[in-house]
Amino acid sequence: MKPKVLILRVAGTNCDFETEWAFALAGAFAEKVHINQIIRREKKVSDYQILVIPGGFSYGDDIAAGKVLANQIKLKLWEEIEKFISQKKVIVGICNGFQVLAKSGILPFNSKQLITLEWNDSGRFEDRWVYLKVEENVSPFFKGLPEIIRMPVAHAEGKFLPQNNKVLNEIERNKQIVLRYCDKEGNLTGYPYNPNGSIRNIAGICSKDGLIIGMMPHPERAILKYHYPDFLKNEEKEEFTPSFKIFKNMVKYFS
Amino acid sequence: MNYVREIDILNADEKELIEISEKNLLSLDIEEMKKIKEYFLSIGRNPTDCELECIAQTWSEHCYHKTFKANIQYIEKNGKKIEKFNICLLREIMEVTEKLNYPWCISVFKDNAGIIKINEKYGAAFKVETHNHPSALEPYGGAGTGIGGVIRDILGVGLGAKPILNTDIFCFGPLDFPYEKLPEGVLHPKRIFRGVVSGVRDYGNRMGIPTANGAIIFDDRYVYNCLVYCGCVGIIPVNKIEKKVNDGDLIVVIGGRTGRDGIHGATFSSASLKENIPTSVVQIGNPIVEKKFQDVLLVARDLNLYNSITDCGAGGFSSAIGEMGKDIGAVVYLEKVPLKYEGLLPWEIFLSESQERMVLAVPEKKVEKLINFFASEDVEATVIGKFVKTGKLTVYYKNKLVCDIDIHFLHKGIPKKNLRGFFERKREKPVNFKSKNIKEDILKVLSSPIISSKEEVIRQYDHEVGGRTILKPFVGYESRGVSDGVVLKPFYETYEGLIISCGINPFYGEIDPYYMAGCCIEECIRNIVSCGGNPEKIAILDNFCWGNISDERELGNLIRCVKGCKDYALKYRIPFISGKDSLNNYFKRKDGKIISIPGTLLISGIGIIEDVRKICSTDFKKEGNIIFVLGKTFNELGSSQFYRVNRIKGGIVPKPRPEKTLSLMKKIHIGIKNQLIKSCHDCSDGGLITTICEMMIGGNLGCKIDFSNVLTEEKEIEIVLFSESCGRFVVEIEKEKLNEFEKLFKNEELSQIGEVIEEKELIGFWANKKLFKIPLELIYRSWTSLNF
């Protein structure tokens, strides 16, 4: 069965088209749905298996990145989202979507807000390709990936910051960290390899059951080998990248 | 309350007419004011404030391009030879496209942007605008609304195109300009620079459009008038290019509300800058409002919910509705316009340049569906009038007639300008300037503001949102290298590609704007070809930014430049598809002295390729590969970066050689397509040595070069290293492909100059004599030394 993917759109969503393409290419039935359609009950979240909050600047990132949409989800969609989570369906937040999942408290423990994505240490928006170390983690979606993968980040507020060490240690202990920024060899080092100053180089995490994913890097911009900034030099054999595998894994999970 | 003011022009004499124009910031000259008086005499009444404003806006340089449409008497002096003829600048440019008559140029010089065909189903639209004056007064808002405006041009071309790329080219004063020299009321270049970059960043990024091509130029003469060029590329189905307003269509405004911001933007934008300009001329932007209607608009387009569309830019409703209704007529009810706040006078509502608004022509039976459709994503859509066959532009405010003018007079009534331009050719003489220390000069050129890396700026732009960016602004090792252009894959399903780049060099114009035009056109094409472009599938756009053109010599420079554009575009067989001019970029100092910008021509280009997998980047790929220079080097150091860093004036400006270069470029295209050429980078600012250094940085590799092998009649190291002769490329070839390469480039000018080496250093020889050895680390450090 082709899983149905809901790509949530609001004012300021940007990465909906390429995310839709990535899921469709991976074999899913992907559909862009505006939040108003859900609020007006024209579309039901429960009709889908995967909910994606894509990158962008939801509501202009006014107040703080993702904050307004996080509140909207809490206040207007909570019943549906909670049911979605309890049914062990999949939620993915990329970039702005991760900011939303963090600020709504859905990640890491579906509780009150415990983590945030703070302004980059550089103090500004940056777009750059990063190396990511795939950690040993509980999520089924990062299986079969090489140890180090590459994707671009493009954000101003992406510094992973937990409320305290207790939260941080618990996320680590639960194997909820999926991706960390690293250098070419996999060492966890500083700027520009860690592009935003994230605590312990954390780039992406998941929920305790591994079905809710939040990550700052953009896998949907690194689908084909031709997306790599140096594809003309490194003659890669594989047409599709390891980041594409993340989408494939999600689709496979439901088929 | 009396909303409408009558302005007495019927009894005004010439002096009073000019006073009226100046007092109301109309920027109209005496001939135009007299023509207006004549019209109102013929209908037997005085104009209202709204009518006068509406005419001033329609006739403004910004909207009507009076100078480019003028009848100009031109005199060109070359030594004892004097040429004299009449010329119309717009005709010159359009003639190129007409003569070439390519079937793939599907919409040129008539809509908001030019459109070329990508395939049977889709076209690519490209438009470049300037937003100079607003950016000088309020850099953040000015630049942001500049990019916002050009995006709306793309959304309003045909029935609407989807924006997929932004470009940005800036000209600023030097960042280290001494504060004490800054005249009152002028912002420091650093302040303008930061504001402009942030403005473009915040608007472009929030719109979800990648910003992936551009340039930044610095010069003293841009201190008073910075230049901000913003471009946008969109894709449009070929069956959505035609638009037509029908009699009876309703006028619907969508998007943002109307406020008092940006009033007089159109008329102000072509006036000179001076102190005490009201800040309300600058528009206030909000990208999310634009993003919201963009999302719905393109769906509404495919549902055929409207017949025509245009953006509400300079001149506001007056321009948008006046333009759309120019073959029919329109009636507008201003009280229906949604306002940001109360208190606007009718003419202010009609002329306001509040951002993020578009005007649609909607058939009455579809209007309800359209309004509901926009409302479903929280976008306001409001009927504010109707297109009706009256031949008049009629505007009411609360039942009171505020404007009722003949459409024909409004659009055709403007008196044709008669201007005079004069140009005297300088005798170009070579300068004999010897470098005291070649190594130091190389590093000096690399660290000069124009050559050095702009990474800090470019990183702040999202250059790959959309997932379409294949060749990015940064290439090679750790993405350190610089790209000649950007390659986009516009469709997710296919490998077809677009290549976008630009050419700009105001310094050549100091010697001769004619050759500047040729060099800019060629640089733009060279950049595209270096990336893998097909020189026979490129279209270009012209953007002229000029100084005080009421000065016959300044106007003469502009004419000389336009002549260059025409001649060289024809010789390279490259069509113009759109263009724009921004004139009177000058500053009147307190002491009355006028400081003009250097005449600046930006050429932006868009090329079409069949396969984005067969492209090329500038970074050296592998040690052992052979390095060639294609093309010939001449003693053309006039206005070069080498002369600039050493403060040398004069010299000979580069002269393009279209025939030779075109033949060469066709072969480069084949060489890249067949993956024979491993890396390719054109030679432009900074000369051959800069090209080589940039290729090393990108490749994180060194090279060994024998400069005595470079094809030239001038055996001087300064010329070989730093001359900016056109028509040259540096390419990298694998040893085993040498035969194939030499066969392809038989009969072309080529010289084998060295090889890529593993050691990270540049080793320069002249025959057997070692000239210098520079570590790559030092090259990289110099190139990245500019402090923003």
Side-chain angles (χ1 to χ4, degrees):
Chain A
M1 185 201 79
K2 265 191 175 188
K4 283 180 80 180
V5 181
L6 186 158
I7 295 165
L8 185 67
R9 284 178 52 228
V10 302
T13 301
N14 285 338
C15 307
D16 42 341
F17 281 84
E18 55 270 42
T19 307
E20 181 188 34
W21 171 63
F23 272 105
L25 202 63
F29 175 78
E31 192 185 354
K32 304 192 289 286
V33 176
H34 195 275
I35 195 163
N36 287 355
Q37 293 176 284
I38 303 170
I39 292 170
R40 285 195 306 262
R41 312 223 166 262
E42 294 161 18
K43 297 269 179 189
K44 286 200 308 219
V45 182
S46 57
D47 287 341
Y48 299 82
Q49 282 81 47
I50 301 174
L51 166 68
V52 187
I53 309 173
F57 291 82
S58 54
Y59 303 105
D61 276 357
D62 294 348
I63 306 173
K67 187 71 184 169
V68 177
L69 180 53
N71 283 346
Q72 211 178 7
I73 284 177
K74 282 290 220 192
L75 297 171
K76 293 195 170 154
L77 303 181
W78 191 240
E79 218 172 290
E80 290 198 65
I81 298 290
E82 201 164 36
K83 206 169 122 203
F84 198 82
I85 296 170
S86 69
Q87 288 171 339
K88 297 277 172 199
K89 289 180 172 179
V90 171
I91 302 180
V92 186
I94 301 169
C95 196
N96 198 228
F98 184 20
Q99 292 160 341
V100 171
L101 293 179
K103 283 165 194 184
S104 60
I106 295 175
L107 279 177
F109 306 132
N110 197 14
S111 60
K112 66 179 186 15
Q113 186 182 344
L114 293 173
I115 55 168
T116 193
L117 293 142
E118 187 42 68
W119 269 86
N120 296 348
D121 278 353
S122 67
R124 59 185 173 210
F125 186 100
E126 278 189 49
D127 176 345
R128 62 170 74 243
W129 277 68
V130 292
Y131 295 97
L132 296 162
K133 193 169 179 190
V134 182
E135 293 286 325
E136 193 196 327
N137 66 72
V138 290
S139 175
F141 309 130
F142 293 81
K143 299 271 180 288
L145 266 67
E147 199 184 331
I148 298 166
I149 58 176
R150 288 196 293 159
M151 285 176 222
V153 288
H155 57 246
E157 298 171 52
K159 177 180 179 170
F160 181 90
L161 201 65
Q163 195 182 51
N164 51 42
N165 273 341
K166 196 174 146 257
V167 173
L168 181 62
N169 292 336
E170 198 177 339
I171 300 171
E172 287 198 327
R173 206 169 43 240
N174 293 342
K175 294 195 168 36
Q176 283 178 259
I177 294 164
V178 291
L179 298 169
R180 290 189 210 255
Y181 303 109
C182 63
D183 67 11
K184 215 186 242 173
E185 280 79 37
N187 306 308
L188 306 184
T189 49
Y191 185 83
Y193 295 103
N194 179 351
N196 45 36
S198 283
I199 301 303
R200 294 196 195 160
N201 288 42
I202 293 170
I205 61 168
C206 64
S207 55
K208 274 189 211 169
D209 60 7
L211 298 180
I212 305 173
I213 306 284
M215 57 196 288
M216 287 313 295
H218 287 276
E220 79 283 10
R221 298 186 190 180
I223 298 296
L224 304 169
K225 69 173 177 186
Y226 312 103
H227 282 127
Y228 283 134
D230 50 3
F231 84 91
L232 290 162
K233 181 167 180 168
N234 307 334
E235 281 150 12
E236 310 250 353
K237 298 276 174 307
E238 298 286 327
E239 188 82 358
F240 296 102
T241 62
S243 5
F244 180 55
K245 186 127 209 256
I246 303 170
F247 295 94
K248 295 275 272 190
N249 282 342
M250 284 189 241
V251 172
K252 212 168 83 191
Y253 182 77
F254 287 101
S255 19
Chain B
M1 185 184 163
N2 194 10
Y3 301 113
V4 194
R5 200 159 52 93
E6 187 179 285
I7 292 164
D8 186 14
I9 65 167
L10 298 188
N11 300 310
D13 60 21
E14 289 202 4
K15 195 172 149 255
E16 285 161 338
L17 284 175
I18 279 301
E19 273 171 22
I20 291 168
S21 170
E22 277 173 5
K23 208 178 116 214
N24 296 293
L25 284 174
L26 302 178
S27 297
L28 292 168
D29 70 13
I30 185 63
E31 293 309 315
E32 290 156 352
M33 285 304 289
K34 272 158 68 181
K35 193 77 191 239
I36 295 169
K37 180 177 168 181
E38 197 180 291
Y39 170 75
F40 282 97
L41 271 174
S42 77
I43 58 168
R45 65 172 175 88
N46 267 315
T48 64
D49 48 5
C50 188
E51 285 171 328
L52 209 50
E53 292 282 350
C54 177
I55 297 168
Q57 169 273 309
T58 312
W59 292 8
S60 68
E61 185 64 64
H62 186 95
C63 296
Y64 191 80
H65 305 283
K66 298 187 258 205
T67 305
F68 266 67
K69 287 177 180 163
N71 179 23
I72 309 179
Q73 199 184 55
Y74 176 60
I75 300 168
E76 189 173 304
K77 210 170 147 215
N78 184 9
K80 283 189 183 136
K81 212 175 106 200
I82 292 176
E83 261 190 288
K84 207 169 165 182
F85 51 87
N86 289 336
I87 189 167
C88 167
L89 299 179
L90 189 62
R91 276 292 340 130
E92 292 289 294
I93 298 284
M94 284 169 71
E95 229 177 275
V96 175
T97 313
E98 284 164 16
K99 272 194 179 148
L100 294 173
N101 196 22
Y102 290 131
W104 45 272
C105 292
I106 42 183
S107 174
V108 290
F109 290 108
K110 57 176 189 197
D111 208 333
N112 286 359
I115 306 175
I116 58 172
K117 205 156 129 180
I118 306 176
N119 55 34
E120 288 312 308
K121 271 180 152 160
Y122 287 97
F126 195 3
K127 171 66 173 276
V128 181
E129 272 278 8
T130 46
H131 226 216
N132 305 334
H133 286 22
S135 303
L137 294 182
E138 209 286 89
Y140 182 84
T145 53
I147 196 76
V150 76
I151 294 168
R152 281 197 308 282
D153 269 326
I154 292 302
L155 289 169
V157 68
L159 290 167
K162 181 183 169 73
I164 57 165
L165 177 81
N166 290 337
T167 66
D168 287 291
I169 293 89
F170 310 135
C171 303
F172 298 119
L175 297 180
D176 55 1
F177 193 81
Y179 277 90
E180 57 278 12
K181 278 199 192 164
L182 211 60
E184 213 175 301
V186 175
L187 299 175
H188 191 270
K190 209 158 196 164
R191 158 98 163 75
I192 295 180
F193 173 86
R194 288 190 180 147
V196 166
V197 170
S198 312
V200 165
R201 174 194 66 205
D202 289 353
Y203 211 107
N205 290 355
R206 274 173 176 68
M207 284 302 290
I209 303 168
T211 300
N213 185 252
I216 306 178
I217 305 268
F218 299 96
D219 189 84
D220 279 350
R221 287 159 297 172
Y222 296 118
V223 167
Y224 311 92
N225 287 82
C226 64
L227 301 183
V228 173
Y229 296 92
C230 300
C232 187
V233 176
I235 41 178
I236 182 167
V238 287
N239 62 3
K240 298 288 178 194
I241 290 172
E242 289 304 317
K243 54 181 166 191
K244 191 174 173 282
V245 175
N246 288 331
D247 186 12
D249 280 353
L250 297 176
I251 303 171
V252 177
V253 56
I254 62 160
R257 294 188 159 210
T258 301
R260 203 175 267 128
D261 50 323
I263 286 175
H264 282 139
T267 45
F268 148 76
S269 72
S270 299
S272 71
L273 282 181
K274 47 191 177 237
E275 289 163 53
N276 304 325
I277 286 172
T279 50
S280 62
V281 294
V282 182
Q283 306 81 357
I284 300 165
N286 182 349
I288 295 305
V289 175
E290 190 150 311
K291 178 70 169 103
K292 272 201 310 196
F293 79 66
Q294 175 193 310
D295 291 351
V296 206
L297 181 71
L298 293 169
V299 185
R301 174 196 74 187
D302 295 334
L303 293 171
N304 300 315
L305 291 182
Y306 54 87
N307 287 339
S308 186
I309 179 169
T310 200
D311 72 302
C312 232
F317 291 132
S318 162
S319 169
I321 297 170
E323 192 61 33
M324 283 171 93
K326 76 174 170 197
D327 298 321
I328 300 183
V331 186
V332 183
Y333 304 93
L334 289 176
E335 72 278 2
K336 297 192 173 169
V337 173
L339 300 179
K340 290 182 182 176
Y341 34 75
E342 289 303 311
L344 273 75
L345 292 169
W347 76 265
E348 291 179 317
I349 301 174
F350 202 50
L351 268 297
S352 160
E353 296 180 14
S354 286
Q355 296 292 291
E356 291 94 26
R357 300 175 303 162
M358 305 285 283
V359 175
L360 309 181
V362 184
E364 209 158 351
K365 62 177 197 292
K366 291 185 181 172
V367 80
E368 199 188 325
K369 191 170 172 195
L370 178 119
I371 290 173
N372 290 336
F373 189 66
F374 278 101
S376 76
E377 296 202 3
D378 310 319
V379 178
E380 225 169 10
T382 315
V383 177
I384 61 165
K386 198 174 190 171
F387 291 105
V388 272
K389 215 168 180 129
T390 56
K392 282 187 158 193
L393 180 60
T394 311
V395 182
Y396 291 95
Y397 182 71
K398 295 186 176 165
N399 293 325
K400 200 166 159 73
L401 190 65
V402 297
C403 170
D404 192 32
I405 33 181
D406 194 68
I407 283 262
H408 186 81
F409 170 73
L410 185 61
H411 289 283
K412 298 270 154 65
I414 180 169
K416 202 168 189 141
K417 273 201 165 180
N418 287 302
L419 302 170
R420 281 159 57 95
F422 175 75
F423 182 80
E424 184 171 6
R425 278 185 76 168
K426 290 188 189 111
R427 270 200 48 213
E428 297 177 39
K429 269 193 301 208
V431 179
N432 192 13
F433 173 73
K434 290 276 164 222
S435 166
K436 286 190 197 76
N437 184 332
I438 277 288
K439 187 174 153 182
E440 251 170 46
D441 272 330
I442 293 173
L443 297 174
K444 219 152 76 180
V445 166
L446 285 174
S447 61
S448 69
I450 289 169
I451 303 288
S452 63
S453 168
K454 311 293 183 299
E455 177 170 343
E456 268 194 70
V457 174
I458 304 166
R459 284 253 176 260
Q460 297 183 51
Y461 305 141
D462 192 334
H463 47 257
E464 49 204 329
V465 55
R468 299 183 180 88
T469 316
I470 300 298
L471 189 68
K472 304 173 209 307
F474 304 109
V475 294
Y477 174 78
E478 298 286 302
S479 296
R480 276 185 185 181
V482 57
S483 192
D484 273 330
V486 57
V487 178
L488 295 180
K489 188 168 112 36
F491 313 110
Y492 295 125
E493 306 79 19
T494 74
Y495 287 106
E496 291 158 297
L498 299 174
I499 309 183
I500 289 93
S501 193
C502 61
I504 183 168
N505 191 322
F507 312 113
Y508 296 158
E510 289 161 23
I511 297 176
D512 194 333
Y514 182 81
Y515 297 113
M516 169 175 86
C519 290
C520 291
I521 290 174
E522 204 205 270
E523 187 193 357
C524 176
I525 308 171
R526 272 199 322 264
N527 281 335
I528 292 175
V529 170
S530 291
C531 299
N534 178 354
E536 294 172 280
K537 264 294 177 71
I538 296 173
I540 51 176
L541 288 74
D542 61 71
N543 282 83
F544 299 90
C545 285
W546 232 258
N548 176 20
I549 46 125
S550 52
D551 177 337
E552 287 185 7
R553 281 179 184 266
E554 281 282 349
L555 184 62
N557 282 335
L558 175 63
I559 298 163
R560 176 88 179 143
C561 181
V562 170
K563 276 182 65 191
C565 282
K566 178 188 175 182
D567 290 355
Y568 283 105
L570 278 173
K571 284 176 185 162
Y572 290 105
R573 309 192 52 73
I574 303 287
F576 287 102
I577 54 166
S578 166
K580 203 77 198 260
D581 54 279
S582 161
L583 308 176
N584 295 323
N585 291 284
Y586 65 90
F587 185 84
K588 219 179 198 162
R589 275 200 331 215
K590 262 196 182 139
D591 58 8
K593 199 177 166 209
I594 285 177
I595 299 169
S596 278
I597 57 156
T600 309
L601 167 69
L602 168 71
I603 296 288
S604 309
I606 178 165
I608 291 172
I609 50 165
E610 291 145 23
D611 193 339
V612 295
R613 292 169 294 188
K614 291 170 183 166
I615 57 171
C616 195
S617 61
T618 63
D619 50 310
F620 280 144
K621 299 296 184 303
K622 205 168 181 221
E623 62 275 9
N625 287 349
I626 308 295
I627 302 166
F628 284 86
V629 180
L630 300 172
K632 192 170 170 183
T633 303
F634 297 86
N635 181 1
E636 291 173 328
L637 280 162
S639 293
S640 66
Q641 294 307 316
F642 173 61
Y643 276 9
R644 275 177 67 80
V645 297
N646 285 302
R647 303 187 181 283
I648 307 291
K649 291 265 173 210
I652 294 169
V653 76
K655 313 267 183 319
R657 298 179 302 146
E659 221 169 284
K660 276 272 170 214
T661 308
L662 199 52
S663 151
L664 188 65
M665 290 194 293
K666 284 179 189 169
K667 290 183 181 171
I668 293 174
H669 175 58
I670 296 168
I672 292 176
K673 228 165 78 174
N674 297 342
Q675 297 178 335
L676 190 58
I677 295 174
K678 297 310 284 181
S679 64
C680 181
H681 194 8
D682 84 309
C683 298
S684 56
D685 316 61
L688 173 67
I689 191 68
T690 302
T691 306
I692 292 172
C693 288
E694 287 176 350
M695 294 175 90
M696 285 172 55
I697 292 167
N700 196 33
L701 289 163
C703 62
K704 214 161 62 185
I705 306 284
D706 182 350
F707 289 100
S708 74
N709 283 339
V710 173
L711 181 68
T712 176
E713 261 121 57
E714 320 281 340
K715 291 292 178 188
E716 275 174 51
I717 188 71
E718 290 83 359
I719 295 171
V720 172
L721 292 188
F722 299 112
S723 167
E724 298 182 3
S725 292
C726 291
R728 297 178 307 154
F729 300 81
V730 177
V731 296
E732 176 192 2
I733 311 295
E734 287 165 320
K735 267 190 184 132
E736 48 276 27
K737 300 266 177 79
L738 269 186
N739 281 341
E740 204 185 324
F741 173 76
E742 277 167 350
K743 211 169 108 195
L744 176 63
F745 285 89
K746 210 173 87 185
N747 302 329
E748 299 295 341
E749 298 162 336
L750 85 167
S751 35
Q752 183 172 339
I753 59 162
E755 103 181 62
V756 182
I757 58 172
E758 210 186 333
E759 297 73 38
K760 295 182 181 15
E761 53 199 13
L762 167 64
I763 312 174
F765 290 89
W766 189 274
N768 293 323
K769 195 179 148 222
K770 195 179 196 179
L771 290 179
F772 49 77
K773 189 161 129 179
I774 316 175
L776 175 57
E777 187 48 37
L778 185 57
I779 289 174
Y780 182 65
R781 233 183 313 140
S782 302
W783 186 65
T784 50
S785 62
L786 185 64
N787 191 0
F788 295 103

